[in-house]
Amino acid sequence: MSASPQTVQKSGAAGSAVFAGSDSRKYNYFEPKARKASHYEDMTVDVQPDPERYLLQDWIISFPDGTPTYSKTWTKALSSNWHQFRAVDQEWERTHYQRQSTICGMVQGVIENARKSGAPKRFDSAWVKVLQDHLGAYKHAEFGLGTSLMQAQRYGYTQMINNATLTNSSYKLRFAQDLTLYLSEIGLDLQGFDHNAGKKHWLENPIWQGTRKSIEAIMGATDYLEQYLATNLVFEPLVGELFRSGFIMQMAASQGDFATPSVVAAAEADYERNLANTVELIHMLTHDKEHGAHNVKLFNGWIAHHGALAKEAAANLQPIWSQPRVKVSSFAEAQERAHNRIQTICSQVGLQAS
Amino acid sequence: MSETLTLNKIVGQKGISTAEAANRVSDLGWTPSYVQEAMTFPTDYKISKVPRDPMKQVLRSYFPMQEEKDNRVYGALDAALRGDMFRNVEPRWVEWMKLFLAIIPFPEISAARSMAMVGRLAPGEELRTGFTMQMVDEFRHSTIQMNLKKWYMENYIDPAGFDITEAAFGKCYATTIGRQFAEGFLTGDAITAANIYLTVVAETAFTNTLFVAMPSEAARNGDYALPTVFLSVQSDESRHIGNGHSMLMAMIHDPSNHQLLERDLKYAFWQNHAIVDAAIGTFIEYGTTNRDKNKESYAELWHRWIYEDYYRTYMLPLEKYGIKIHHDDVAEAWDRIVKKNYVHKTAQFFSVGWSFNFWRIEAQTEKDFEWFEHKYPGWYAEFGDFWKWYAKLSVPGEKNIAFNADVGYVYPHRCWSCMVPCLIREDFCCDEVDGKVYTYCSEGCRWTHKVAFAAEYEGRATPAMGRFSGRREWEECYHGWDHADAMVDLGFVRSDGKTLVPQPHLRFEQKDMWTLDHVRGNTLGSPLRAFRALKPGAERDAAVAEYRKGYTINPCN
Ligand SMILES: [Fe+2]
Ligand SMILES: [Fe+2]
Ligand SMILES: [Zn+2]
């Protein structure tokens, strides 16, 4: 029997020969969430390996104290199966760029059209100062969340958790830049607009110090899951949405401003997705058969800690509601909505909004 | 008219310049005063200067630019299918993509993760946008490559091996080599990992061979998909290289960093050489069917990308800052490629081990021999017989080449550092670390484990430096196992439960395929265990001397 000459295969296309495995055309090493694996799952699951699944030789580099490349000890939360989590928004690179790019185009369109029609000049002057000082200060909060999530995406135990954290960070950092550039550009049309005022208020104005403290507490947390939970389950409903929806979106039109709400609306939509992802993950952990009770206790502690900071932050913001000339909604109403919101979210995942 | 006409110009609307936009955005950061950020990923380096952002780009131009790149990639994949690419693709090439694409999405996402580490270490926030873009880029690279792999799986004649890809990544001896590459990006000293090893060396020096040389070879084999994806990936690299360089510049002026920089440049260069050249060299030289004598060999490519572009234009200028550049390592790597047949020996090893793989490797033939001899004079004398044996033993029922004493190949030791086996026999060495004996492919790898990855470097404490860990010798995992049982455990068996995923040929008829029965009866063993069992002193020295002498492949007729 001679091995050569080698058989000439006429085509390398699927179906041109039938043999064992010739029809095995699906990634077959994980259990899809639904009957059929989604494209997102195919792009994501098991790319970050795990010695408890397929990682035969274990992690091969460690930190000096022996902690491996990825470790379950990076959160106090426990799971009987970290790999179960799937991001609700199903993002992989293509959908992420499509969405981000669409938002960038939309925001730039808003700015261009607003300026072309001379809109900023028609903003009420008290409102211009509100945008300059307070929206200008708030952009730093968004940036802080973005950098904090950028840190967090290194630590999660699975690719699904880390990628959801990564896209969340990407959304936050984009929005912080959206606000910065929006203010910069409408500022060109507004005499005396002070671009540095926002940061000054962020660093010094007592109105913003509670918010800054709240953000710094999230940035300084060393548990990645605490950072993720505090961002989406606590800060966002109690302070982020309160300011974005409960103040900017409510007030702007009455001050002759139709542009700012369009820019800020993108962040509200971002948050809906990031919230859905977070709720899914936290729900999985609070309903874990083995560790549910442990996690509930842990998370309630985080909510109490960050909730107290966020509530103080929100209370400090109250004076802003009286700064616009035309007053269409009250702080109390906005705060009421925020409290209802966090109640609803927490009850969905079996936690207590303190 | 020289200026571009934009809508803003037509309506007389002045926007802010890109540089101004980048400045405003970099002012988003502040130094926390209520709660300090924990230094969760420590470094032994001092970063006293604020790194400068050379790119001055903001996210609102970044996202649309990337979406546009994506549109071109996905458009080209559709076009490749309409053009029936797989009818003419070379299976020899696509088979190696089962290995390559099993590895590469993890290094990519590891690079994304490592942005967390440099992001927090860099003083000031000027580079934050650069790190953000790189983080999202690497997320792009990882998932776009998973997509490409899925696309091969759906359209290529033999999907087995693609279908188990991430499971195979966790289990295979060859993918572990790639994991050493990736874990190095994100574990241990944050600057060593995320700046020097990842950006200053892997991205700046070696992505050209990965993402430029590979695509050219793919195209020569009828694969137009890989170039589309990887050239698009590579187009992001200049930004990453820029990030890395400005971090480096923020540290290089401080002489207290120089000792560590020298250590890390040496470690990173040597590991990248040992790992990337082994893998990519094999794909390019042995995964191709194109034997055009006018094209550059891997050695020639290496000389252009690594020696000229990297060593001469990037590394040498660092000397003016007082950094000692390890010229001898660069020269030694070059010698390993052109004189010591590093790539050829790696390809030979992968082929000896075909029955532990999850892709097919076919024999090299006369046409290949001629090209190799032309590009690497002396090749035929050393490797000709081996490939004849390989072809002869590719028929099921023949005695497996890995266990066949007639061939004369001696299974190698594994290098504890780069995890490629110790293939250049004369360079084999061993040493003791923390009271245990380890084997290495080269002096550079011995130094890496013993000297670089330690708590102290040249008398200086290095408390942040990482350590090698895990079951780094793959063979040890299956010590004493029957070959067939190991294949079942690895999961490298096709859906009929008996035919192997790997095959030593590209014959696609069931009758030509090896099954578990063909490999049962041989026992696997750990060379390191055997080596450690030797008595220190004369017995061990004799074994080292014997190993260094090498072996001769018997004539095959
Ligand atoms: Fe990359
Ligand atoms: Fe990169
Ligand atoms: Zn080595």
Side-chain angles (χ1 to χ4, degrees), chain B residues 256-288:
Chain B
S256 77
N257 288 324
H258 286 189
Q259 208 178 0
L260 298 179
L261 276 173
E262 283 159 19
R263 177 196 67 185
D264 290 343
L265 287 168
K266 179 179 168 71
Y267 143 64
F269 181 84
W270 192 256
Q271 282 274 307
N272 270 275
H273 150 64
I275 294 170
V276 178
D277 290 333
I280 308 302
T282 297
F283 303 155
I284 288 180
E285 303 287 56
Y286 286 82
T288 189

Side-chain angles (χ1 to χ4, degrees), chain B residues 104 107-109 111-112 134 137-142 145 185 198 203 207 211 233-234 236-237 240:
Chain B
I104 195 72
E108 295 285 11
I109 204 64
Q134 179 164 359
D137 283 342
E138 306 294 7
F139 168 64
R140 170 175 192 256
H141 300 173
S142 180
Q145 290 161 5
F185 299 166
L198 166 62
E203 292 183 309
T207 50
F211 298 153
V233 164
Q234 180 69 3
D236 296 335
E237 287 308 325
H240 308 174

Side-chain angles (χ1 to χ4, degrees), chain B residues 208-247:
Chain B
N208 277 325
T209 61
L210 269 162
F211 298 153
V212 182
M214 285 263 299
S216 311
E217 210 52 54
R220 293 189 184 106
N221 287 280
D223 176 1
Y224 302 101
L226 186 110
T228 302
V229 171
F230 279 83
L231 293 175
S232 186
V233 164
Q234 180 69 3
S235 71
D236 296 335
E237 287 308 325
S238 59
R239 274 185 284 108
H240 308 174
I241 293 166
N243 288 342
H245 190 259
S246 59
M247 264 309 263

Side-chain angles (χ1 to χ4, degrees), chain A residues 238-251:
Chain A
L238 288 179
V239 186
E241 271 188 330
L242 175 87
F243 181 74
R244 293 189 308 251
S245 283
F247 179 69
I248 298 284
M249 308 278 277
Q250 293 277 328
M251 296 279 198

Side-chain angles (χ1 to χ4, degrees), chain B residues 270-271 274 336 415-420 440-442 445:
Chain B
W270 192 256
Q271 282 274 307
R336 296 218 311 168
C415 177
W416 195 259
S417 286
C418 67
M419 309 181 81
V420 179
Y440 308 99
C441 74
S442 56
C445 276

Side-chain angles (χ1 to χ4, degrees), chain A residues 6 24 57 60 93 151 216, chain B residues 40 70 74 163 176 472:
Chain A
Q6 298 181 342
S24 181
Q57 294 176 256
I60 51 184
E93 68 95 15
Q151 167 82 1
E216 289 182 12
Chain B
T40 36
D70 266 6
Y74 294 101
D163 56 350
T176 308
R472 296 177 70 91

Side-chain angles (χ1 to χ4, degrees), chain A residues 232 236-237 241 267-275 341 345:
Chain A
N232 289 311
E236 285 277 35
E241 271 188 330
E268 296 304 84
D270 294 343
Y271 174 49
E272 288 305 329
R273 299 162 70 91
N274 290 313
L275 175 63
R341 175 78 150 155
I345 295 168

